[in-house]
Amino acid sequence: MQLDRIDRKILQELQKDGSLSNLDLAERIGLSPSPCARRVKALKDAGVIGRTVTLLDPKALGLSLTALIHISMDRHTPDRFEHFEAEVANYPEVQECYLITGQAADFVLKVVVKDMDTYQQFLLGKLTRLEGVTGVQSSFVMRRYKDSTELPVPEEYPIA
Amino acid sequence: MQLDRIDRKILQELQKDGSLSNLDLAERIGLSPSPCARRVKALKDAGVIGRTVTLLDPKALGLSLTALIHISMDRHTPDRFEHFEAEVANYPEVQECYLITGQAADFVLKVVVKDMDTYQQFLLGKLTRLEGVTGVQSSFVMRRYKDSTELPVPEEYPIA
DNA sequence: GGTGAAAAAGCATTGCA
DNA sequence: TGCAATGCTTTTTCACC
């Protein structure tokens, strides 16, 4: 699938505001509603456009502590990783979990909790109890300069 | 503002699917449409509910490389930080940028690009040219176990 | 604070130029 | 691709429980 300038504009607008009606979207990109709807449908069918979600304000919810956690495992076997993955996916405090290269760590987690007490409970009660976890290194977010869900939409022709 | 069980259910549903109509939402939480709409409005007014966005699939867009970058600065002055912040906010490749505690680094960035070539261009052409940047350490995401926008909605009474 | 119904507005969709 | 008309869904408001 090839994206032209209009497709990219559609993607940019929807990334900024997923509640746009097709009418409003069409107006913003300078197209009439029907071709606009057709393009959006094609982008959905191609899997480029995914879910629409509502973002909440962590502060308003009293979630004032965000931690980035680097985790090392004792052994790098598929077993270890799969088990870790499955457990971590169930923790609502964990927003992101990546297996990474480089560094000393194997995993990076982004965790959001109410306060340091809750964080300690999460760390001692859940994370460090997981099999194979040998090292845990916490960093805390002091300031959130940018926290976006927007992806850059490439200039050229990407292939879906 | 106090959240009861129904409010929390609303927030959970909307975090999963931001395109829900008030009708569908009301049905899911077991309430009739009008009080449901009232609650949603109140949550928006209180700032708990923020924007609604459409998520794209990085892979479908040909964005196959995600990097976590740790950055250290030469001096920890407000000037340095503000300048860095302002520049980084303009880079579309940067999804997240945090000022963090601990570690050797001062900032953590999450960057999404097409491939290693593009990453190198970003690093050399943009990031390392910023004033005050002394250390850059890259990790690459090998596997994305969890990548969510959902926040945990606390059990007790948070205050907005 | 919740329910149900009714009215009004806005929307997606379709067919055609 | 653009336009127009149809028919629907949705939001909103109201009186009542």
Side-chain angles (χ1 to χ4, degrees):
Chain A
M1 183 182 187
Q2 299 217 338
L3 307 182
D4 61 14
R5 203 169 311 168
I6 297 177
D7 289 321
R8 276 186 268 122
K9 220 167 171 184
I10 289 177
L11 295 178
Q12 282 163 359
E13 291 297 332
L14 287 182
Q15 282 196 105
K16 281 195 213 119
D17 186 354
S19 67
L20 276 177
S21 73
N22 184 55
L23 237 57
D24 286 340
L25 178 61
E27 191 180 2
R28 291 201 191 187
I29 62 174
L31 213 63
S32 55
S34 11
C36 179
R38 269 199 293 262
R39 280 169 183 269
V40 170
K41 186 182 182 311
L43 289 167
K44 275 183 185 160
D45 290 344
V48 176
I49 292 181
R51 295 181 305 140
T52 296
V53 299
T54 299
L55 304 178
L56 306 185
D57 180 3
K59 233 168 127 186
L61 279 169
L63 298 169
S64 56
L65 190 64
T66 301
L68 302 173
I69 316 178
H70 288 248
I71 292 171
S72 351
M73 305 289 282
D74 58 352
R75 276 180 284 144
H76 295 181
T77 58
D79 272 18
R80 280 277 185 276
F81 286 0
E82 278 162 23
H83 180 248
F84 185 80
E85 165 193 12
E87 288 297 318
V88 159
N90 286 329
Y91 297 156
E93 304 94 332
V94 177
Q95 274 205 316
E96 306 175 18
C97 172
Y98 304 119
L99 178 65
I100 61 166
T101 71
Q103 314 292 42
D106 296 310
F107 291 100
V108 170
L109 267 60
K110 183 168 145 194
V111 170
V112 180
V113 291
K114 199 175 76 178
D115 51 28
M116 199 51 94
D117 255 24
T118 320
Y119 182 68
Q120 189 228 18
Q121 282 168 29
F122 171 76
L123 214 59
L124 301 182
K126 295 184 176 176
L127 210 54
T128 54
R129 290 197 180 170
L130 292 181
E131 211 173 335
V133 171
T134 54
V136 176
Q137 225 178 0
S138 304
S139 305
F140 299 102
V141 171
M142 287 191 286
R143 193 158 157 191
R144 200 176 291 260
Y145 283 126
K146 191 173 188 179
D147 191 357
S148 160
T149 58
E150 289 178 45
L151 292 173
V153 183
E155 280 296 324
E156 295 151 60
Y157 318 108
I159 298 166
Chain B
M1 183 183 190
Q2 298 217 339
L3 307 181
D4 61 14
R5 204 170 308 170
I6 298 179
D7 288 321
R8 278 186 266 124
K9 220 166 171 186
I10 289 177
L11 295 177
Q12 282 164 358
E13 291 297 331
L14 287 181
Q15 282 196 105
K16 281 196 211 117
D17 186 353
S19 67
L20 277 177
S21 73
N22 184 55
L23 236 57
D24 287 340
L25 179 61
E27 192 180 1
R28 291 200 192 189
I29 63 174
L31 214 64
S32 53
S34 4
C36 180
R38 267 200 297 259
R39 281 168 181 268
V40 170
K41 186 181 182 312
L43 289 166
K44 275 182 185 162
D45 291 344
V48 177
I49 291 181
R51 295 181 305 141
T52 297
V53 299
T54 299
L55 304 178
L56 307 185
D57 180 3
K59 234 168 127 186
L61 279 169
L63 299 168
S64 54
L65 191 64
T66 301
L68 302 174
I69 317 178
H70 288 247
I71 293 172
S72 349
M73 305 287 282
D74 58 353
R75 274 181 285 145
H76 296 180
T77 58
D79 273 17
R80 280 278 186 273
F81 287 180
E82 279 162 24
H83 181 249
F84 183 80
E85 166 192 13
E87 288 296 319
V88 158
N90 286 330
Y91 297 157
E93 303 95 332
V94 177
Q95 275 204 313
E96 307 175 17
C97 172
Y98 304 119
L99 179 65
I100 61 166
T101 70
Q103 313 293 41
D106 296 311
F107 292 101
V108 170
L109 268 61
K110 182 168 146 195
V111 170
V112 180
V113 290
K114 199 175 75 179
D115 51 29
M116 199 50 96
D117 256 25
T118 321
Y119 182 69
Q120 188 228 19
Q121 283 169 29
F122 171 77
L123 214 59
L124 300 182
K126 295 185 176 175
L127 210 55
T128 55
R129 291 197 179 169
L130 292 181
E131 210 173 334
V133 171
T134 55
V136 176
Q137 226 178 357
S138 305
S139 306
F140 299 102
V141 171
M142 288 193 285
R143 194 159 157 191
R144 201 176 291 260
Y145 283 124
K146 191 172 189 180
D147 192 357
S148 161
T149 58
E150 289 177 44
L151 292 173
V153 183
E155 280 298 323
E156 296 152 60
Y157 321 104
I159 298 165

